[in-house]
Amino acid sequence: MDYAETSSNGDIQWCFSQVKGTLEEDVTEADIISCVEFNHDGDLLATGDKGGRVVIFQRDPISKNSIPRRGEYNVYSTFQSHEPEFDYLKSLEIEEKINKIRWLKRKNPAHFLLSTNDKTIKLWKVSERDKRVEGYNTKEENGTIRDPACITALRVPTIKPMELMVEASPRRIFANAHTYHINSISVNSDQETYLSADDLRINLWHLEITDQSFNIVDIKPTNMEELTEVITAAEFHPAECNVLVYSSSKGTIRLCDMRSAALCDQHSKLFEEPEDPTNRSFFSEIISSISDVKLSNSGRYMISRDYLSVKVWDLQMETKPIECYPVHEYLRSKLCSLYENDCIFDKFECCWSGNDSAIMTGSYNNFFRVFDRTTKRDLTLEAARDIAKPKTLLKPRKVCTGGKRKKDEISVDCLDFNKKILHTAWHPSENVVAVAATNNLFLFQDKL
């Protein structure tokens, strides 16, 4: 995997911070990054890939404490989270690809995270060991048991320092609860329960119980021929442990309150924007499907990402979004070719800045967009190899749709649809962002 740079929004200038890994053009399918997630204090950053591996990066202490602060991360731990499996009853291969990673809040020196592929969720403990015990009575240093006849004296074991070792061990495996592919996991604010969502159902788990989960949402029709929508994303409220939201392929978001009923089939609120009749086309239903929904850190707002835009919703107002930001409106004229090459089904994620003042999401040609909610300015930036030098300022990119192209612009016909930014993450308290571009992870920060 490859890792890289830093950038900014609105009046902030973004610059490249760092790149780790290889920059060769040869990319294997297993190396493609499939999710990116900061932990709650931003000191750790986890990525999952299609090969079932999880790579954790730790913020460099020197860069964290330097003036100005720098967003540089080093590899902390790498482990194989999931292996390919085969469902013999359904004759289906289950990919090892990591769909989502979610961190638990830290309660002790160890770190805990949840990772999931299409069917199985695992709880991992990541801990450090920098001391070892020497001088056992009943066993040798290599672990073999000593002959009791040879033990003639009592020794007190001593603790000696050793080279730091980071160990990742699976503590829980939550399996066999989903018929369809898991697309979301979300840890509740109580830090005791979490949800997992697939195309038609959402289950509620307790972190200590692996053999039982509660089905809290079920939209599966009695007759599957009547199926009209699927669940695309789900998330718990950041502060209210009884509230969750989930989005659908019909472009709607439902807010559910688990206090109202054990089965949340009847939503408390429905967020839906009426379709503009002037934009009605064959592709309307496909591009209105919501690929990601994220509640703001304050819990007051949420953002939803459909194919062409990002929308900001106020949880107190269901009728329409309070803000709408076009991500790549210039692709509206290209929907036919995007449908033919299946790009129209790409699922772009979105994320909030730490103080909810900005939003980030990805696009094609390794472009990613940053929208400043205060100034209403937007920025198009590129995660490219040629800027992989520390402190390199990122130049805003522009896409032209007309015939005449300015010097710094790129024509919409020249965009590379094989290069896409699907996964992004924003540091919880600083302007440091992580952008996954195929097998490269770019880290960008604001230029102070």
Side-chain angles (χ1 to χ4, degrees):
M1 286 191 213
D2 302 340
Y3 304 91
E5 291 250 289
T6 349
S7 177
S8 153
N9 64 294
D11 294 324
I12 304 174
Q13 289 182 300
W14 292 94
C15 70
F16 177 85
S17 175
Q18 163 197 25
V19 62
K20 289 184 176 289
T22 59
L23 290 173
E24 289 92 8
E25 292 292 343
D26 295 334
V27 179
T28 64
E29 185 76 10
D31 289 331
I32 295 175
I33 298 172
S34 54
C35 56
V36 184
E37 188 79 7
F38 280 102
N39 74 338
H40 291 84
D41 61 10
D43 280 351
L44 296 180
L45 171 65
T47 65
D49 63 25
K50 289 191 174 182
R53 294 182 297 265
V54 172
V55 180
I56 301 175
F57 299 88
Q58 184 181 49
R59 189 162 187 178
D60 183 81
I62 297 174
S63 78
K64 181 181 177 181
N65 299 318
S66 66
I67 301 175
R69 299 179 76 174
R70 303 192 310 275
E72 295 177 3
Y73 286 75
N74 300 319
V75 175
Y76 180 65
S77 176
T78 304
F79 59 92
Q80 188 73 31
S81 175
H82 287 70
E83 300 282 356
E85 300 173 45
F86 190 79
D87 186 334
Y88 291 97
L89 290 174
K90 297 182 179 178
S91 295
L92 285 176
E93 290 185 3
I94 302 170
E95 290 183 345
E96 64 271 39
K97 172 193 166 191
I98 308 296
N99 291 342
K100 284 286 185 291
I101 291 174
R102 290 291 179 265
W103 291 91
L104 276 65
K105 286 186 178 174
R106 196 174 184 184
K107 296 179 179 178
N108 57 45
H111 298 273
F112 289 86
L113 60 85
L114 288 167
S115 63
T116 183
N117 66 350
D118 287 341
K119 297 291 183 184
T120 306
I121 305 154
K122 295 184 180 182
L123 173 66
W124 290 89
K125 177 184 179 181
V126 182
S127 54
E128 294 182 353
R129 209 150 54 98
D130 60 357
K131 294 180 177 63
R132 70 176 185 272
V133 178
E134 289 184 356
Y136 289 103
N137 286 283
T138 57
K139 61 182 179 182
E140 304 291 351
E141 298 305 328
N142 61 7
T144 57
I145 303 297
R146 296 177 67 190
D147 182 357
C150 299
I151 302 174
T152 57
L154 181 66
R155 291 188 297 174
V156 178
T158 57
I159 296 175
K160 299 284 182 71
M162 61 176 278
E163 188 178 345
L164 178 66
M165 247 177 73
V166 181
E167 298 175 320
S169 55
R171 302 311 300 266
R172 305 274 188 280
I173 297 177
F174 307 88
N176 306 319
H178 285 277
T179 307
Y180 308 98
H181 293 175
I182 298 171
N183 56 46
S184 303
I185 50 176
S186 177
V187 181
N188 203 343
S189 58
D190 62 15
Q191 293 293 301
E192 292 182 357
T193 56
Y194 74 94
L195 65 78
S196 60
D198 64 24
D199 290 344
L200 299 178
R201 296 190 179 99
I202 300 176
N203 293 333
L204 179 68
W205 300 83
H206 193 285
L207 284 162
E208 299 295 327
I209 302 170
T210 60
D211 59 354
Q212 187 179 30
S213 66
F214 296 95
N215 179 224
I216 53 174
V217 174
D218 187 349
I219 66 168
K220 183 180 180 181
T222 308
N223 181 2
M224 283 294 280
E225 290 181 1
E226 297 171 2
L227 181 67
T228 57
E229 65 179 329
V230 295
I231 297 168
T232 55
E235 189 178 52
F236 268 122
H237 191 279
E240 298 176 27
C241 62
N242 53 286
V243 175
L244 63 104
V245 296
Y246 68 91
S247 58
S248 87
S249 56
K250 271 194 168 179
T252 61
I253 304 169
R254 293 174 174 86
L255 183 143
C256 301
D257 190 334
M258 293 192 295
R259 295 174 300 183
S260 60
L263 193 62
C264 300
D265 284 353
Q266 299 299 317
H267 51 267
S268 302
K269 293 185 178 183
L270 177 68
F271 301 87
E272 184 176 19
E273 184 179 28
E275 186 185 1
D276 183 355
T278 59
N279 284 334
R280 180 74 187 167
S281 73
F282 170 78
F283 306 105
S284 294
E285 287 189 13
I286 300 173
I287 63 173
S288 66
S289 174
I290 295 174
S291 58
D292 195 19
V293 61
K294 292 278 172 62
L295 285 150
S296 65
N297 298 293
S298 67
R300 172 68 190 273
Y301 306 101
M302 64 181 171
I303 48 175
S304 64
R305 172 69 205 266
D306 56 41
Y307 190 67
L308 293 178
S309 64
V310 174
K311 294 168 183 170
V312 180
W313 303 81
D314 189 322
L315 293 189
Q316 307 302 321
M317 188 171 81
E318 303 169 57
T319 51
K320 62 179 181 180
I322 56 172
E323 298 162 30
C324 184
Y325 301 99
V327 177
H328 38 218
E329 187 63 26
Y330 47 78
L331 293 182
R332 193 175 287 276
S333 61
K334 301 283 184 184
L335 292 178
C336 189
S337 58
L338 289 165
Y339 178 78
E340 289 172 356
N341 63 17
D342 283 345
C343 284
I344 202 169
F345 301 107
D346 286 334
K347 299 186 186 305
F348 291 95
E349 295 176 5
C350 53
C351 62
W352 290 94
S353 64
N355 59 5
D356 299 337
S357 66
I359 300 161
M360 179 171 62
T361 191
S363 181
Y364 293 104
N365 208 68
N366 280 357
F367 288 167
F368 61 100
R369 305 294 313 278
V370 181
F371 303 97
D372 190 310
R373 297 182 59 213
T374 308
T375 64
K376 303 302 178 188
R377 295 183 182 179
D378 63 271
L379 204 57
T380 301
L381 301 167
E382 183 180 7
R385 296 162 185 266
D386 56 7
I387 49 97
K389 294 177 184 174
K391 299 183 181 178
T392 303
L393 275 177
L394 297 190
K395 294 180 181 177
R397 303 301 305 269
K398 289 187 178 179
V399 178
C400 73
T401 53
K404 193 159 185 179
R405 183 168 59 91
K406 293 181 182 176
K407 181 183 176 184
D408 294 329
E409 291 182 338
I410 181 171
S411 169
V412 67
D413 297 317
C414 298
L415 295 176
D416 187 343
F417 293 105
N418 292 317
K419 294 180 178 178
K420 57 192 84 169
I421 304 290
L422 299 177
H423 314 288
T424 58
W426 201 307
H427 190 285
S429 59
E430 296 180 33
N431 281 328
V432 176
V433 299
V435 175
T438 320
N439 67 321
N440 301 300
L441 179 69
F442 287 83
L443 290 170
F444 302 93
Q445 70 185 47
D446 58 344
K447 173 121 180 117
L448 297 173

